[in-house]
Amino acid sequence: MGHQSNHIPSFAPLILDAKAEIEATANWLRERLRTDLRKRGLVLGLSGGIDSSLCAALAVEALGAKNVFGVFMPENDSDPESLRLGQKLAARFGIETIIEDIGPALAAAGCYERRDGFIREAVPEYGPGWSSKIVFDNPLTSGGYNISSLVVRAPDGEMQKVRLSAKAYLGIVAATNMKQRTRKQIEYYHADRLNFAVLGTPNRLEYDQGFFVKNGDGAADIKPIAHLYKSQVFQLAAELGVPEEILSRPPTTDTYSLPQTQEEFYFALPYQKMDICLFGLESDLSSQEVAGAVGLSPKQVDLVWQDIKAKRKVARYLHAAPLTRL
């Protein structure tokens, strides 16, 4: 729809026939909803990001706007841009939406207080007016290890980066995961109310690498883009007419109070290069072949592959169904 050429990857194997892929995914969504899920519509959280925007557009393509319901779930640390862009997307596709501010529920459950308590183990003066995020040193620069650090900004704007103990890191993440789990509770409330199914929005990188919270954003009835590389998500979104502002927004977690990119928090490389590295690993290409396509050395590609494999091990638990003796 005019913007597609800006979002086509330079790596030929990842280029899709966008129209055909949209039609196939819409057919699959309709069929699964009718036969497996036996629901008449879809509920999804709208974040103003590319993945939820594409999922919303695909849901409308498959079922019509009247059978799609979008939920905005801002909280105390959310970027106001997320809501604005999400509303722009909903208006473009004619989706009925509701705003559910989950900040009070999270505060009541102790999400912010618990998180700040763990932050104070590393930065004792942390308090009101401060903001923070967790970042990882890139495995390419740290010899293959994911080393976590906390970045904080004081009220006067001064930034500092500190290493975290394992206990503080786990505590901050555990408290922060309440956000995704609270959002999912709200989505299922609306799904139950409407007799709709809940649509999950992970792309292939996130699904493969475990970039989701178990029983949080990992919980859903159907995940229509889990087979798509991130660069393919952009191709389909452009074809369907997702607003350019969303297409050009850098992927963000929008979970921490300081702005944070997905590379800082999880992936070893920007998504365009991660896609190619994952494709190379899946397709049994040599590190030499992949290196040329991503502008890295074969040794660096091997480090990225090690990182992918390590994250897949962690993701196994996230994907696993509960154990029973049935």
Side-chain angles (χ1 to χ4, degrees):
M1 297 217 173
H3 302 305
Q4 192 179 12
S5 57
N6 306 343
H7 305 286
I8 289 182
S10 54
F11 188 63
L14 292 178
I15 298 174
L16 287 171
D17 177 339
K19 280 190 173 63
E21 182 59 39
I22 288 163
E23 190 181 346
T25 303
N27 287 339
W28 177 82
L29 263 175
R30 261 194 308 276
E31 190 57 24
R32 297 281 69 80
L33 216 60
R34 191 176 62 80
T35 57
D36 298 328
L37 297 171
R38 297 176 178 273
K39 301 289 183 185
R40 58 189 190 87
L42 290 165
V43 167
L44 77 160
L46 292 174
S47 68
I50 189 73
D51 295 317
S52 70
S53 296
L54 172 61
C55 285
L58 285 168
V60 170
E61 185 78 11
L63 306 171
K66 69 181 188 305
N67 294 313
V68 181
F69 188 77
V71 192
F72 302 113
M73 292 167 282
E75 44 89 19
N76 301 4
D77 297 324
S78 296
D79 180 351
E81 270 296 87
S82 298
L83 178 58
R84 185 183 72 78
L85 289 172
Q87 287 175 321
K88 186 170 183 174
L89 181 280
R92 168 79 50 99
F93 290 97
I95 299 167
E96 187 188 342
T97 59
I98 192 168
I99 299 175
E100 298 267 16
D101 180 357
I102 62 168
L106 289 169
C111 166
Y112 306 112
E113 201 180 314
R114 294 171 205 258
R115 177 200 62 196
D116 293 356
F118 285 110
I119 290 174
R120 276 192 285 276
E121 291 186 16
V123 183
E125 62 273 32
Y126 191 89
W130 288 65
S131 44
S132 63
K133 64 181 172 182
I134 285 178
V135 298
F136 284 88
D137 287 344
N138 189 313
L140 298 182
T141 57
S142 61
Y145 295 98
N146 284 303
I147 299 166
S148 66
S149 301
L150 177 74
V151 175
V152 296
R153 184 173 63 204
D156 65 5
E158 191 190 338
M159 308 275 282
Q160 54 174 306
K161 182 177 178 181
V162 294
R163 285 291 307 280
L164 287 169
S165 68
K167 175 180 172 250
Y169 167 73
L170 289 171
I172 292 166
V173 170
T176 304
N177 285 352
M178 286 182 167
K179 297 181 182 187
Q180 281 83 351
R181 293 190 175 115
T182 302
R183 286 194 174 106
K184 201 52 66 169
Q185 178 181 331
I186 301 286
E187 287 172 36
Y188 270 99
Y189 161 74
H190 287 292
D192 291 350
R193 176 179 73 79
L194 296 164
N195 197 26
F196 282 12
V198 169
L199 186 155
T201 64
N203 60 58
R204 188 176 191 140
L205 276 184
E206 294 169 345
Y207 191 80
D208 181 86
Q209 298 288 279
F211 186 48
F212 56 85
V213 174
K214 187 163 188 165
N215 296 325
D217 50 342
D221 300 315
I222 191 161
K223 298 180 179 179
I225 64 167
H227 66 299
L228 293 175
Y229 290 91
K230 186 84 177 186
S231 43
Q232 295 174 330
V233 168
F234 279 94
Q235 292 170 65
L236 266 58
E239 178 65 35
L240 279 164
V242 166
E244 179 63 31
E245 263 191 295
I246 293 172
L247 292 171
S248 55
R249 186 188 195 196
T252 168
T253 59
D254 199 19
T255 299
Y256 290 86
S257 50
L258 275 177
Q260 178 198 50
T261 66
Q262 288 186 346
E263 293 98 85
E264 282 181 316
F265 184 62
Y266 206 77
F267 297 118
L269 293 165
Y271 75 83
Q272 299 94 326
K273 294 185 176 186
M274 275 303 293
D275 275 356
I276 297 169
C277 289
L278 181 58
F279 178 88
L281 186 61
E282 300 266 79
S283 309
D284 290 324
L285 300 182
S286 69
S287 52
Q288 194 81 40
E289 289 172 280
V290 174
V294 288
L296 297 172
S297 69
K299 188 167 183 289
Q300 287 174 314
V301 171
D302 284 328
L303 279 174
V304 175
W305 282 351
Q306 273 176 40
D307 188 52
I308 288 172
K309 287 170 186 170
K311 288 190 171 119
R312 279 179 172 173
K313 282 184 187 156
V314 175
R316 252 180 242 146
Y317 161 74
L318 300 176
H319 284 293
L323 301 172
T324 68
R325 291 185 64 192
L326 286 171

